[in-house]
Amino acid sequence: MPPVFPMLTVLSMFYYMCLRRRARTATRGEMNSRRAIESNTRALPINVEIVQYAKEVLDFSSHYGSENSMSYTMWNLAGIPNVYPSSGDFTQTAVFRTYGTWWDRCPSARLPFTRTPSTFCSQDYVELAFEEPVYPTAVHILETYHPGAVVRILACSANPYSQNPPAEVRWEILWSEAPTKVNGPQARQFTPCIKQINFPTNLIRLEVNSSLLDYYTELDAVVLHGVKERPVLSLKTSMIDMNDIDEDEDEEKFACGMDNLSKQFSIVTLREWPTNGYFDKLPYELIQLILSHLTVPDLCRLAQTCKLLYQHCCDPLQYIHLSLQPYWARINDTSLEYLQSRCTLIQWLNLSWTGNRGAISVSGFSRFLKVCGSELVRLELSCGHFLNETCLEVITEMCPNLQELNLSSCDKIPPQAFNHIAKVGSLKRLILYRTKVEQTALLSILNFCSELQHLSLGSCVMIEDYDLIASMMGAKCKKLRSLDLWRCKNITESGIAELASGCQLLEELDLGWCPTLQSSTGCFTNLARKLPNLQKLFLTANRSVCDTDIEELAANCTHLRQLDILGTRMVSPASLRKLLESCKDLSLLDVSFCSQIDNRVVLELNASFPNVFIKKSFTQ
């Protein structure tokens, strides 16, 4: 009988290698419930678990509420729950600005960037600070209405309350998953299985995708569980999933591709191969077409294989459209520096969410645009908190062909800086949602940017007289197709009249939460008669909208696709039926909190008009 000791030795070595891999990857298999370790492990040494609610909301990309109140704002995520375990639509929760796919089906919708990794689907985010840095053991998200939007949870190595900024800011993905459809809008506590990380954190980021939701998701609180000392995996492991040994997680690929982004861009020493396979025989254009389907990290990896592919991967034609938003956590000055030679022909650039906490400097951004800005047509800078007046000045000087500029939620830009935008007379789209733009600067922009077709001024609280702004739009912006005046605080029937008379090409108009508009002045009737091309009209939370307004829309705006009259008390089922019969393309009708439209009426209308999504929200 042959000895069994050699076999035992091999098995012992294999077992040891498994444990080493498990420790090195920080138990990445625990991220997914399908691959969770079934074990009786415990952290050694034993730590007392700390449970804490968010102390402060540091940053976010959008919210439904006003900048000057707490209702439906992200700030409601700080502290203990206000609503949970109740379900329904409550003002004390945190609500993002959009839901579903409706915003992708309106005239203001933007074309997507190609080459976006399939693993990146985030649309919005919120960052939360906690009192004590801990090694996370669990994250509980209390969702009170239409759950299922959270797609990614990240932890940051930077302590927002530390006086000394860290030399390096690291973000680690604790959990990630594609959007899922949750059955029912009821409240739930969402506790995904997170992976362990090797640094303590008190800064957690939630990223959401609301595209599968039937209505706005509402979050009440976030609870962080953790220990002060780094957990050590015990050796009492009863079973290890073999898939962990031969598969790489998406997060590792992400880190591999972008942690060394700058190094990969700068590599010029390549292996010497006798041939390039059959690629030498393919037309240059065909190779370019094949490579156009790769993501940016994949291009970086491929460039290291041979000189021929290096040449193709560095060709500026591969970078005509470039979105760095999916890699926001790892883009810095060095990344931009090494991208410069490849982006000399770039036309679309997305730097949204990038550069915060010192990752991109004003000088680094300016150097990049001075080399790569001459052909830029579209520039996305949403939530770019590194931007200041110098950056806007460089944009206007170095990007003479710019047609689209997105500064959404860039709330750190000083008011006077927006004057520079008036120099870009070719602008067709300008998004200033949640910025500090002031009236003088905006009037100058409207005066000199007469080619504007899409303008977003939602939640711009520093504009004093929206009637004057509307008058200037009517006089100068004749080509305007979409206008977002969400939560503008002082527009009246006078401004609406000027707008409707001068901007008759308008197809989309958002007047949600504009409290100074009253139906009795005839402002909504005037809109319906002057703007026959309207496809989207939001009159959210205007209590005065009445049957006359709905009937005028039915008679004049037959192309209407989306209508929001949430909160009105004066619209009857009969007028809604007229609207639905007249507007054959109508696909969204929000009648939430409309006192005359009960659930029975909604069911009857749904039965008669099955192609229309009729939304009736509730509170219980």
Side-chain angles (χ1 to χ4, degrees):
M1 180 176 179
V4 297
F5 296 107
M7 180 59 69
L8 290 176
T9 302
V10 170
L11 290 175
S12 300
M13 291 179 62
F14 177 72
Y15 183 70
Y16 174 72
M17 290 170 62
C18 291
L19 292 180
R20 284 284 303 273
R21 181 176 179 85
R22 171 68 63 187
R24 187 170 62 250
T25 56
T27 63
R28 65 170 186 263
E30 294 179 4
M31 289 176 56
N32 193 308
S33 59
R34 292 184 298 106
R35 300 169 57 186
I37 303 174
E38 298 177 9
S39 68
N40 57 351
T41 62
R42 70 175 185 178
L44 299 173
I46 299 175
N47 284 323
V48 176
E49 189 172 59
I50 298 174
V51 178
Q52 49 187 333
Y53 291 96
K55 178 181 179 180
E56 184 181 358
V57 177
L58 298 179
D59 188 23
F60 54 89
S61 54
S62 76
H63 60 183
Y64 186 90
S66 167
E67 301 302 295
N68 298 321
S69 76
M70 289 295 292
S71 297
Y72 295 123
T73 63
M74 287 297 119
W75 299 305
N76 285 317
L77 278 176
I80 63 175
N82 298 307
V83 173
Y84 187 84
S86 299
S87 297
D89 191 338
F90 291 90
T91 62
Q92 303 96 320
T93 58
V95 184
F96 291 97
R97 176 77 192 274
T98 63
Y99 73 94
T101 58
W102 308 111
W103 276 258
D104 297 325
R105 303 186 203 172
C106 55
S108 64
R110 288 164 287 170
L111 293 174
F113 278 78
T114 57
R115 280 187 163 147
T116 300
S118 59
T119 54
F120 181 80
C121 57
S122 304
Q123 298 173 331
D124 277 294
Y125 74 85
V126 58
E127 292 180 1
L128 306 168
F130 295 80
E131 183 71 36
E132 294 288 336
V134 294
Y135 291 92
T137 56
V139 176
H140 302 309
I141 303 170
L142 306 184
E143 303 171 281
T144 55
Y145 200 38
H146 288 279
V150 177
V151 293
R152 205 154 70 150
I153 305 173
L154 301 98
C156 185
S157 62
N159 184 343
Y161 301 120
S162 174
Q163 299 298 321
N164 302 315
E168 178 188 13
V169 176
R170 292 175 54 198
W171 285 93
E172 287 288 340
I173 299 174
L174 299 179
W175 171 87
S176 179
E177 193 172 279
T180 55
K181 180 77 171 180
V182 176
N183 294 326
Q186 288 74 26
R188 72 169 186 178
Q189 176 180 292
F190 179 52
T191 308
C193 191
I194 64 173
K195 80 168 186 178
Q196 292 183 7
I197 56 176
N198 59 7
F199 58 83
T201 183
N202 61 339
L203 175 51
I204 296 294
R205 175 176 170 127
L206 308 182
E207 294 185 356
V208 304
N209 181 311
S210 303
S211 61
L212 298 182
L213 301 186
D214 292 332
Y215 206 56
Y216 300 95
T217 189
E218 300 191 6
L219 310 179
D220 192 15
V222 176
V223 191
L224 174 62
H225 291 238
V227 292
K228 296 293 288 184
E229 299 294 329
R230 181 179 178 182
V232 179
L233 192 67
S234 142
L235 296 181
K236 296 180 181 179
T237 304
S238 61
M239 188 178 78
I240 294 178
D241 193 330
M242 297 302 294
N243 290 326
D244 285 338
I245 298 172
D246 54 17
E247 291 184 5
D248 290 326
E249 295 292 339
D250 290 337
E251 287 73 24
E252 286 195 351
K253 294 178 182 178
F254 179 74
C256 176
M258 297 309 297
D259 274 340
N260 299 316
L261 183 62
S262 302
K263 297 178 183 178
Q264 292 174 348
F265 280 142
S266 62
I267 287 176
V268 294
T269 303
L270 302 170
R271 297 181 183 180
E272 294 290 341
W273 295 98
T275 67
N276 292 313
Y278 289 99
F279 277 96
D280 284 331
K281 302 182 184 302
L282 295 178
Y284 192 92
E285 294 80 4
L286 181 56
I287 299 177
Q288 286 287 292
L289 178 61
I290 294 172
L291 299 191
S292 69
H293 295 279
L294 298 181
T295 64
V296 176
D298 289 337
L299 275 180
C300 297
R301 297 186 191 101
L302 188 62
Q304 300 175 63
T305 57
C306 67
K307 289 185 176 180
L308 174 66
L309 292 180
Y310 177 84
Q311 178 185 358
H312 280 281
C313 292
C314 296
D315 192 322
L317 292 175
Q318 288 290 339
Y319 301 86
I320 298 295
H321 294 177
L322 177 63
S323 176
L324 296 177
Q325 182 180 8
Y327 320 110
W328 60 265
R330 293 174 169 87
I331 296 299
N332 53 32
D333 281 350
T334 308
S335 307
L336 294 183
E337 181 180 351
Y338 286 116
L339 276 168
Q340 284 182 14
S341 61
R342 295 157 172 78
C343 295
T344 53
L345 300 178
I346 191 169
Q347 297 177 7
W348 289 14
L349 175 62
N350 186 0
L351 286 174
S352 294
W353 301 4
T354 65
N356 298 334
R357 294 183 175 84
I360 295 179
S361 66
V362 172
S363 58
F365 176 76
S366 301
R367 284 194 302 270
F368 182 80
L369 279 195
K370 287 175 181 177
V371 174
C372 308
S374 61
E375 302 296 325
L376 266 183
V377 175
R378 176 179 175 183
L379 182 56
E380 304 280 341
L381 295 169
S382 174
C383 304
H385 300 313
F386 67 91
L387 296 170
N388 62 8
E389 183 170 3
T390 300
C391 294
L392 290 196
E393 186 175 7
V394 169
I395 290 172
T396 57
E397 290 178 356
M398 297 296 137
C399 307
N401 299 308
L402 197 62
Q403 296 181 11
E404 300 187 23
L405 179 60
N406 180 5
L407 298 175
S408 172
S409 292
C410 293
D411 53 0
K412 302 294 191 295
I413 300 176
Q416 71 276 5
F418 293 93
N419 284 295
H420 294 287
I421 298 177
K423 303 172 189 175
V424 190
S426 57
L427 274 182
K428 294 183 179 180
R429 184 190 302 271
L430 180 60
I431 302 177
L432 298 177
Y433 167 72
R434 288 192 66 237
T435 62
K436 295 178 180 176
V437 62
E438 288 184 331
Q439 185 165 301
T440 303
L442 186 54
L443 288 171
S444 179
I445 292 170
L446 297 174
N447 187 42
F448 290 102
C449 300
S450 58
E451 298 295 314
L452 276 174
Q453 297 180 17
H454 306 281
L455 178 62
S456 174
L457 300 175
S459 294
C460 292
V461 298
M462 299 189 71
I463 298 173
E464 300 171 353
D465 188 351
Y466 269 97
D467 281 346
L468 183 58
I469 297 298
S471 178
M472 179 65 80
M473 290 180 200
K476 296 290 185 178
C477 302
K478 302 293 186 180
K479 300 180 181 179
L480 206 60
R481 293 180 53 214
S482 73
L483 177 61
D484 179 8
L485 295 177
W486 174 264
R487 292 190 181 274
C488 75
K489 58 185 178 182
N490 53 37
I491 194 168
T492 68
E493 66 277 3
S494 174
I496 292 296
E498 296 277 359
L499 183 68
S501 297
C503 302
Q504 297 191 4
L505 297 180
L506 271 174
E507 300 172 356
E508 176 180 342
L509 181 59
D510 193 333
L511 296 172
W513 296 89
C514 295
T516 50
L517 292 177
Q518 293 297 315
S519 175
S520 58
T521 64
C523 59
F524 301 135
T525 299
N526 191 30
L527 275 179
R529 293 173 179 174
K530 293 287 184 64
L531 303 177
N533 298 316
L534 273 181
Q535 297 181 29
K536 173 182 174 180
L537 178 62
F538 274 27
L539 302 175
T540 315
N542 193 300
R543 308 289 191 260
S544 68
V545 176
C546 62
D547 283 346
T548 302
D549 303 319
I550 301 301
E551 290 169 3
E552 286 290 344
L553 288 172
N556 298 286
C557 302
T558 56
H559 301 296
L560 200 63
R561 295 174 181 269
Q562 301 179 30
L563 177 64
D564 186 342
I565 53 171
L566 175 149
T568 181
R569 304 166 183 168
M570 305 173 67
V571 171
S572 68
S575 64
L576 284 184
R577 185 169 287 275
K578 289 181 181 179
L579 178 78
L580 291 165
E581 291 172 348
S582 177
C583 301
K584 304 296 185 182
D585 296 327
L586 196 67
S587 57
L588 171 65
L589 177 61
D590 194 336
V591 292
S592 300
F593 303 109
C594 294
S595 55
Q596 294 191 45
I597 313 299
D598 56 24
N599 288 332
R600 178 186 58 82
V601 172
V602 171
L603 290 174
E604 291 175 355
L605 292 176
N606 272 326
S608 301
F609 305 94
N611 294 328
V612 183
F613 179 76
I614 303 175
K615 180 57 188 177
K616 177 70 174 178
S617 185
F618 73 97
T619 301
Q620 64 181 30

